Amino acid sequence: MLKIIKYVLLDIIRSRTVIGYTLFLLLTSWGIFLLDDSTSKSLISLVNIILVVLPLVSIIFSTIHFYNSYEFIELMLAQPVKRATIFTGSYIGAALALCLAYLVGAGIPLMIFDGSATAVTMIASGLMITLVFVSLAYLAASLTRDKAKGTGIAILTWFFFAVIYDALLLLLLFLFADYPVENFLLGITFLNPVDLARLMVLLKMDVAALMGMTGAVYSELLGSLKGMLVAGLVSLVWVVWPFLLSLRIFNKKDI
Amino acid sequence: MFPVCAGATIWQVFPATNAVTQAIAKSSAGDTIEIQSGTYRENTTIDIKHSLHIRGVGNPVLDGQYKGQIMSIWASGTTISGIHFIRCGKSNLEDYAAIKVYHVNHVTISQNTFEDNYFCIFLLKSDSCIIRQNFISGKAVFEQTSGNGIHLWKSQHAIISENKIQGQRDGIYFEFVTNSRIENNISAHNIRYGLHFMFSHRNQYTGNRFTNNGAGVAVMYSNHVHMTRNVFDLNRGQASYGLLLKDISDSRINQNRFEKNSVAIYMEGSNRLTIEQNNFIRNGWAMRIYANCEGSKISNNNFSGNSFDVSTNGSEDHNHFVQNFWDKYEGYDLNHDDIGDIPYRPVSIYAMLMERIPFALILYRSFVVSIFERIEKIMPVITPVNLYDEKPLMKPVRL
Amino acid sequence: MIQIEEVKKKFGRLQVLKGISVLMRPSAAYALIGPNGSGKTTLLKSVLGLVRPDSGDIQLNGQSILGQWQYRQLIGYMAQISRYPENMTPVQIINMVKDIRQSQHQYDMELFEEFKIKKFENKPMHSLSGGMRQKVNACLAFMFQPAVIILDEPTAGLDPLSTEILKEKINGIRQKGKLVIITSHILSDLDEMITHVIYLNEGNKIIDSTLEQLHDRTKTEKLSHAIASIMNEENNA
């Protein structure tokens, strides 16, 4: 497995896309911190990048990476290596590359310029988002052999979770403002990995406001470590299930 | 017990049944009673009918055994110090206190410790009293079954300084109290308010810290209150405020620091306030202003890292924001006078929305909401038209 | 020894293999032939585990290979279209496969030498010609001295000289006791390489005999003629 990961990583580094992504993150976050004189404002700008750019790049890059490494995968499949090993190795390689890019590109500036608990939470939730969207990318790619189709599915997935989902939630919120649907809506919010990452950051950045909310369930859930834990666990589920499903599909697939 | 010197006599008291009561009975006005270390349990409330100086030596404990009041003071000029009061009675009918002062003046209560009492220091119609350097610690759980740390009723010219109060209902409570000063106290972890004013005019409080209370300070139905150089922090929770202002007028709020409160300042029916040179840092809401507030001037404050700077329930605003520093300001300063060239609107559309649907907070900072806010910034539709700072500062005010 | 028993495979609605049974022994070279879409490649891929049969069993030395992977240690595979990570060079790919396979025994570098791969070993794959890629492909299949060698259209794209080299190599290892399976369209190339013929058509096995028996039966000397003759028999029957 380690060898597979090694060769996948070598291949990704050779392609230079990840290097470009790292530089983009580095320049953006550095720029944000230098241009804004208050770090709290910089953090808010970075949150938007984490919630929009990170999932987009992660899912598109990983989908394309999977299709591009088809030759490698075929070559490996003729060798005495387990299919699951090849697939998992390819996944870990892509995930590792993107996580490293994020850590270098955004993690380091975050720690240098801020270094607070909020910054640490942002790093953690960024990594989580990356992993989730690499998993979703692998799922999209294992659904079809057609690269264009797979990339299309990937982009739609991103658009759904990053934009449509919250827009629908907002709409529901307006429509049912006079009904006691808060717990239901909170549950729905917890089902979207992007919202989970956002809530984790919100729990640090806006804890004072969150604790001011009326209603026992969510003030307890959102104002405490418990909320952080639940969000983390559900995110983990979002990393694991698409990956396992895609692994299952891949295992049964005829090459 | 025996007298030590002539003139004003000093009576020494050692642990024995009713030792304190007996010593007081023998003493005359102006005497000193020194209570030596040990635990004292008196059968009845200790009544002080002539002026005395009661002094603890080696931290003696007066144990009320949860039976009624521990000490009642009926004589002006009495001083109480160095005594550890514990376990006064708790009652729903009677406001029992560790020390209650009745209708007398110039009483000084200093350097005592209070632990597990109902009310601790209770002044009724007593003027010019001093309460300083006491340490008060309660075990309050419910508002109905707990008392206040320092409670003043219809008194004036009091000075309350350098006390530390925690675990009571209200840390300090003023009702019909005037011309008094509250300085350098720490009031923390009280279940209702750190400091509570009702119908109390012309008071000032300075240099206090209100941390982690149900709400930091509540000022209600009062006027001419000066609040200066206090710290209000970590007052968080449902309906929790750093400073709650209800029907207040002609007061000043200067050079305070509000940090990490759910709502830093909440104003209702409050008029003609001057709010200047305060720091608002990382609060949920820096200010929530009801539409029935008028004529206040909010200037030279710093607003940074708050989830929401200002929110209001009305569509118009009758207060004046000028020359504050807002970290969310995105304008420019072409003439380099350190004042932004375009006004800043501190009320975001989402804050307005949340006045109506508080739960909408869970979607805050999402991509959709930030688009929403950006559009509103360009074309204001819902946010109050006249609530803006026409001269926002480019740099924070140095405080 | 490879034993294929009643293997069936459907792709969508198309039944590609309709119950194929074949027995293949060591020290022999089997030509797997048939028209396009007859199921040759699918059968080979089933042996490699790249395609999962719907039913039936495939055994290698008496053990079922279905769902297994360790047995590929014993197989060398030369794919029809050699697809490689395009940014890697031949030497990188060879080293990588060595690293992944971790076989302890000596590497067979004969084809590496004879094909003169050294000349282009440091050029990225995407810059190599089809023939060059085929050479790398062949080299990898033989390198680990596997007991079974599967060659899918090995001579496609190779120049005559290289084809000769490959033929000799195949004969050499067959004589050393290995089992070789070859598919090819170019029947004339097969004559000197194979000992047995398996002919597939539309998912069915039509011929399964030794080359000698086939020539005896059809009274021909060339494989292409033999096959043509049988096809005529079938059509006339």
Side-chain angles (χ1 to χ4, degrees):
Chain A
M1 172 87 86
L2 279 177
K3 283 177 185 161
I4 304 276
I5 296 170
K6 181 176 95 183
Y7 288 109
V8 171
L9 271 181
L10 278 176
D11 186 47
I12 290 176
I13 289 165
R14 245 178 246 127
S15 82
R16 297 202 193 92
T17 317
V18 171
I19 313 259
Y21 172 52
T22 313
L23 284 177
F24 163 76
L25 284 178
L26 206 57
L27 286 175
T28 320
S29 42
W30 217 279
I32 284 173
F33 276 114
L34 289 181
L35 286 177
D36 287 342
D37 27 36
S38 99
T39 55
S40 64
K41 196 175 165 189
S42 313
L43 290 181
I44 292 164
S45 310
L46 268 178
V47 169
N48 279 321
I49 290 186
I50 290 176
L51 296 181
V52 179
V53 177
L54 228 56
L56 180 64
V57 172
S58 299
I59 200 166
I60 293 187
F61 172 85
S62 309
T63 312
I64 294 176
H65 159 77
F66 184 80
Y67 285 114
N68 285 351
S69 65
Y70 231 88
E71 291 90 358
F72 170 79
I73 287 172
E74 279 181 15
L75 182 63
M76 286 302 120
L77 281 173
Q79 313 303 330
V81 187
K82 224 171 161 176
R83 274 196 186 195
T85 309
I86 298 168
F87 190 76
T88 313
S90 166
Y91 171 84
I92 294 178
L96 211 60
L98 287 170
C99 284
L100 275 175
Y102 175 66
L103 279 178
V104 173
I108 290 177
L110 269 168
M111 289 317 283
I112 290 177
F113 288 99
D114 190 63
S116 65
T118 310
V120 174
T121 311
M122 281 169 67
I123 293 173
S125 54
L127 291 177
M128 219 41 146
I129 275 275
T130 304
L131 289 178
V132 169
F133 279 83
V134 176
S135 288
L136 289 171
Y138 269 64
L139 182 57
S142 66
L143 288 177
T144 167
R145 272 292 275 276
D146 186 343
K147 187 171 169 178
K149 224 189 218 170
T151 316
I153 296 175
I155 292 174
L156 281 180
T157 308
W158 166 80
F159 192 65
F160 176 73
F161 284 124
V163 184
I164 302 282
Y165 198 96
D166 288 347
L168 287 175
L169 259 178
L170 202 59
L171 195 68
L172 283 177
L173 211 63
F174 275 114
L175 290 177
F176 296 102
D178 301 327
Y179 300 89
V181 289
E182 282 93 347
N183 290 346
F184 172 69
L185 289 179
L186 186 68
I188 294 186
T189 314
F190 264 81
L191 290 181
N192 177 357
V194 178
D195 279 333
L196 283 171
R198 186 177 54 78
L199 283 174
M200 280 198 242
V201 176
L202 207 63
L203 280 170
K204 277 280 164 234
M205 209 175 251
D206 303 286
V207 64
L210 284 167
M211 286 176 77
M213 287 174 81
T214 44
V217 177
Y218 37 90
S219 67
E220 190 191 345
L221 190 64
L222 295 176
S224 64
L225 191 70
K226 206 187 279 172
M228 210 57 118
L229 278 176
V230 173
L233 277 177
V234 183
S235 298
L236 209 60
V237 172
W238 269 106
V239 176
V240 172
W241 86 257
F243 171 72
L244 285 183
L245 183 59
S246 60
L247 178 63
R248 222 177 119 89
I249 296 172
F250 182 77
N251 263 336
K252 288 184 177 168
K253 198 175 203 165
D254 298 314
I255 304 298
Chain B
M1 80 208 75
F2 48 89
V4 172
C5 61
T9 315
I10 298 180
W11 303 84
Q12 301 284 341
V13 180
F14 295 93
T17 314
N18 293 327
V20 180
T21 312
Q22 285 166 16
I24 290 170
K26 285 181 189 167
S27 68
S28 42
D31 284 359
T32 297
I33 293 183
E34 274 191 4
I35 304 177
Q36 300 298 322
S37 71
T39 302
Y40 296 80
R41 298 188 177 89
E42 307 286 314
N43 286 340
T44 53
T45 300
I46 301 166
D47 281 311
I48 298 171
K49 300 267 165 87
H50 49 264
S51 79
L52 283 173
H53 302 292
I54 299 183
R55 198 154 69 205
V57 176
N59 203 27
V61 176
L62 279 187
D63 182 356
Q65 305 163 79
Y66 300 125
K67 297 188 299 196
Q69 207 141 283
I70 300 177
M71 191 179 273
S72 302
I73 299 174
W74 307 88
S76 292
T78 296
T79 69
I80 310 284
S81 67
I83 296 175
H84 191 157
F85 292 86
I86 64 170
R87 307 203 294 173
C88 87
K90 295 181 184 181
S91 160
N92 292 327
L93 306 170
E94 198 80 30
D95 288 342
Y96 290 132
I99 302 177
K100 207 177 238 181
V101 182
Y102 295 90
H103 310 251
V104 291
N105 305 327
H106 298 288
V107 171
T108 303
I109 298 168
S110 63
Q111 296 178 330
N112 300 286
T113 313
F114 297 83
E115 205 180 320
D116 191 17
N117 295 290
Y118 189 46
F119 285 79
C120 296
I121 301 170
F122 200 128
L123 269 58
L124 287 127
K125 283 189 160 178
S126 298
D127 298 341
S128 307
C129 293
I130 296 173
I131 298 170
R132 49 187 279 269
Q133 295 177 343
N134 297 286
F135 179 81
I136 296 175
S137 167
K139 294 180 173 171
V141 182
F142 302 109
E143 279 187 21
Q144 291 80 4
T145 56
S146 55
N148 302 325
I150 298 171
H151 186 111
L152 271 67
W153 185 73
K154 286 203 175 171
S155 302
Q156 43 182 330
H157 300 292
I159 296 174
I160 295 168
S161 67
E162 296 169 72
N163 300 285
K164 190 165 184 231
I165 309 149
Q166 62 188 39
Q168 299 291 142
R169 180 172 62 191
D170 289 342
I172 302 170
Y173 180 86
F174 275 26
E175 193 171 345
F176 306 112
V177 175
T178 53
N179 297 308
S180 294
R181 299 204 314 259
I182 299 173
E183 292 169 349
N184 304 323
N185 301 282
I186 297 175
S187 186
H189 298 283
N190 297 294
I191 57 173
R192 197 166 68 184
Y193 300 125
L195 169 63
H196 192 175
F197 275 56
M198 299 287 270
F199 313 106
S200 295
H201 312 307
R202 294 179 302 282
N203 297 297
Q204 54 174 294
Y205 59 97
T206 309
N208 302 285
R209 180 162 184 195
F210 304 101
T211 302
N212 246 311
N213 300 291
V217 174
V219 182
M220 302 180 177
Y221 313 108
S222 305
N223 56 50
H224 296 95
V225 181
H226 287 198
M227 316 169 211
T228 316
R229 292 197 307 279
N230 301 285
V231 176
F232 304 78
D233 61 346
L234 295 164
N235 300 294
R236 305 193 287 199
Q238 296 171 32
S240 187
Y241 314 100
L243 175 56
L244 166 66
L245 303 171
K246 189 167 163 51
D247 290 274
I248 302 303
S249 53
D250 304 298
S251 294
R252 300 176 66 85
I253 300 168
N254 282 7
Q255 298 173 46
N256 300 285
R257 182 181 176 88
F258 297 88
E259 194 166 346
K260 297 183 186 168
N261 304 287
S262 283
V263 179
I265 296 184
Y266 175 90
M267 285 165 67
E268 206 183 307
S270 298
N271 307 318
R272 299 181 302 281
L273 307 181
T274 309
I275 301 175
E276 283 178 348
Q277 297 189 307
N278 300 285
N279 266 321
F280 295 89
I281 301 161
R282 301 196 62 185
N283 301 286
W285 284 259
M287 301 184 78
R288 283 182 74 179
I289 304 175
Y290 252 69
N292 57 2
C293 296
E294 280 183 25
S296 290
K297 187 184 180 199
I298 296 111
S299 69
N300 280 294
N301 301 286
N302 292 325
F303 293 84
S304 59
N306 303 297
S307 298
F308 303 96
D309 287 330
V310 177
S311 104
T312 175
N313 64 340
S315 53
E316 284 198 40
D317 180 74
H318 307 284
N319 300 290
H320 187 44
F321 285 85
V322 67
Q323 294 203 355
N324 297 283
F325 171 76
W326 312 89
D327 72 335
K328 295 182 182 64
Y329 181 57
E330 284 177 339
Y332 42 81
D333 176 23
L334 292 182
N335 55 359
H336 294 288
D337 59 355
D338 286 341
I339 290 172
D341 297 349
I342 51 170
Y344 175 71
R345 299 180 173 278
V347 181
S348 79
I349 180 177
Y350 213 63
M352 291 294 289
L353 174 71
M354 280 171 46
E355 287 293 321
R356 209 163 74 76
I357 311 170
F359 184 70
L361 181 59
I362 60 155
L363 278 171
Y364 194 44
R365 301 204 190 288
S366 65
F367 185 52
V368 173
V369 170
S370 56
I371 293 174
F372 213 49
E373 288 195 312
R374 206 142 278 275
I375 294 172
E376 172 76 10
K377 276 244 157 67
I378 300 164
M379 306 176 287
V381 182
I382 305 176
T383 49
V385 200
N386 55 350
L387 200 164
Y388 57 81
D389 185 335
E390 79 264 34
K391 290 180 175 175
L393 301 178
M394 295 305 287
K395 288 179 184 143
V397 181
R398 285 204 186 177
L399 297 172
Chain C
M1 187 180 77
I2 293 175
Q3 190 164 7
I4 298 169
E5 285 170 12
E6 280 298 312
V7 165
K8 290 182 182 168
K9 180 70 191 178
K10 223 177 186 175
F11 286 129
R13 273 192 223 145
L14 188 67
Q15 188 79 42
V16 183
L17 298 177
K18 298 174 179 164
I20 303 275
S21 297
V22 184
L23 185 67
M24 294 189 261
R25 298 175 189 284
S27 298
Y30 291 81
L32 192 58
I33 52 181
N36 292 333
S38 60
K40 303 179 303 251
T41 301
T42 305
L43 192 61
L44 284 187
K45 283 190 166 180
S46 302
V47 172
L48 277 160
L50 296 176
V51 169
R52 306 267 151 122
D54 299 330
S55 64
D57 192 18
I58 301 173
Q59 292 184 348
L60 178 66
N61 298 334
Q63 288 193 324
S64 175
I65 59 146
L66 297 180
Q68 300 296 311
W69 54 275
Q70 290 93 340
Y71 75 94
R72 284 199 286 267
Q73 198 79 46
L74 303 175
I75 296 185
Y77 175 52
M78 184 172 168
Q80 185 173 8
I81 307 158
S82 56
R83 302 220 295 164
Y84 289 108
E86 295 295 313
N87 290 321
M88 293 179 84
T89 65
V91 69
Q92 283 171 339
I93 288 176
I94 287 170
N95 286 335
M96 175 172 79
V97 178
K98 271 187 194 171
D99 189 21
I100 299 276
R101 282 187 87 120
Q102 272 193 318
S103 54
Q104 306 91 322
H105 44 71
Q106 288 285 302
Y107 300 114
D108 178 356
M109 299 306 278
E110 201 178 306
L111 285 180
F112 186 84
E113 305 295 334
E114 303 219 5
F115 283 151
K116 299 191 173 58
I117 293 175
K118 200 152 197 78
K119 277 189 190 166
F120 54 86
E121 68 170 8
N122 287 320
K123 288 185 179 163
M125 291 306 287
H126 60 78
S127 68
L128 300 185
S129 73
M132 286 163 159
R133 297 164 71 101
Q134 262 320 60
K135 287 175 181 174
V136 176
N137 204 355
C139 172
L140 275 173
F142 286 89
M143 207 166 75
F144 301 93
Q145 307 191 347
V148 179
I149 287 234
I150 298 175
L151 308 162
D152 200 354
E153 301 284 347
T155 53
L158 283 185
D159 56 76
L161 185 64
S162 305
T163 307
E164 278 313 306
I165 294 172
L166 189 62
K167 275 183 189 172
E168 272 176 37
K169 183 73 195 166
I170 291 168
N171 285 327
I173 65 153
R174 172 171 55 81
Q175 279 152 17
K176 281 186 201 154
K178 315 279 183 183
L179 165 57
V180 183
I181 308 169
I182 311 169
T183 70
S184 182
H185 282 102
I186 311 164
L187 297 181
S188 58
D189 279 347
L190 288 171
D191 276 318
E192 295 141 49
M193 290 192 269
I194 58 160
T195 58
H196 291 70
V197 178
I198 295 160
Y199 186 90
L200 298 184
N201 193 15
E202 291 178 356
N204 292 308
K205 188 174 78 175
I206 310 292
I207 303 169
D208 182 359
S209 75
T210 65
L211 191 60
E212 278 171 32
Q213 285 172 337
L214 191 67
H215 286 320
D216 286 349
R217 184 175 146 199
T218 58
K219 299 178 183 60
T220 54
E221 281 173 12
K222 289 217 170 248
L223 181 59
S224 50
H225 296 156
I227 298 297
S229 149
I230 292 205
M231 287 297 93
N232 283 333
E233 275 174 37
E234 295 257 311
N235 290 341
N236 297 339

